[in-house]
């Protein structure tokens, strides 16, 4: 059994057609504990989407579904509150500045698709 990784989905959407919605579902289906943070409240199955920036302990992975232009307001929260072991930049969310800041803090940076990583057993 693969190690379960507490994951925070940033940019989570209650819209079933969005990749962030599918990621929350697939992460949950694989048994990973998931927290969802987005601009709008709602839920994805039984996971509530939160709009505030809660303190979440023991975060392994932050997976980004937030456009780079909207990420600066999250830098401090991601790096100094969540303190993940890695950040996954999904396609379209790549951000060289945040990636450099994360690497300087010892956080692993991955540019890949969470859905593909999960489906291939590489998460």
């Amino acid at each position: 059994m693969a190690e379960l990784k507490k994951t925070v989905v940033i940019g989570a959407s209650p819209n079933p057609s969005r990749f962030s919605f599918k990621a929350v579902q697939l992460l949950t289906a694989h048994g990973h504990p998931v927290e969802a943070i987005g601009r709008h409240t709602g839920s994805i199955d039984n996971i509530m989407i939160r709009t505030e920036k809660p303190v979440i302990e023991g975060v392994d992975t932050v997976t980004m579904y937030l456009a780079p232009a909207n990420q600066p307001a999250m830098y401090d929260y991601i790096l100094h509150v969540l303190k993940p072991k890695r950040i996954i930049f999904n396609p379209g969310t790549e951000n060289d500045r945040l990636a450099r800041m994360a690497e300087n803090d010892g956080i692993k940076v991955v540019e890949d698709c969470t859905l593909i990583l999960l489906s291939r057993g590489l998460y």
Side-chain angles (χ1 to χ4, degrees):
M1 176 85 187
E3 176 191 353
L4 298 182
K5 297 175 175 150
K6 184 183 270 188
T7 302
V8 178
V9 177
I10 294 185
S13 170
N15 180 340
S17 69
R18 305 294 296 200
F19 286 113
S20 63
F21 186 98
K22 294 174 172 77
V24 170
Q25 287 185 317
L26 199 55
L27 284 159
T28 304
H30 280 82
H32 297 286
V34 178
E35 297 277 349
I37 298 173
R39 288 188 303 175
H40 305 289
T41 57
S43 65
I44 301 169
D45 299 333
N46 63 343
I47 307 287
M48 294 303 300
I49 299 171
R50 299 162 77 168
T51 56
E52 75 279 9
K53 296 176 183 171
V55 174
I56 302 168
E57 300 290 335
V59 175
D60 180 88
T61 302
V62 165
T63 184
M64 297 293 292
Y65 287 94
L66 193 62
N70 298 322
Q71 292 176 17
M74 301 297 280
Y75 289 175
D76 186 63
Y77 175 65
I78 292 167
L79 299 173
H80 304 117
V81 177
L82 296 179
K83 301 180 207 157
K85 294 178 184 169
R86 72 174 170 170
I87 298 173
I88 298 174
F89 289 96
N90 288 279
T93 68
E94 298 90 347
N95 180 331
D96 290 341
R97 181 163 183 238
L98 179 55
R100 276 194 309 277
M101 292 166 67
E103 287 172 339
N104 288 340
D105 283 356
I107 298 168
K108 182 178 178 182
V109 171
V110 177
E111 290 185 1
D112 210 329
C113 174
T114 296
L115 296 171
I116 292 172
L117 291 171
L118 286 163
S119 67
R120 293 188 177 161
L122 302 172
Y123 189 79

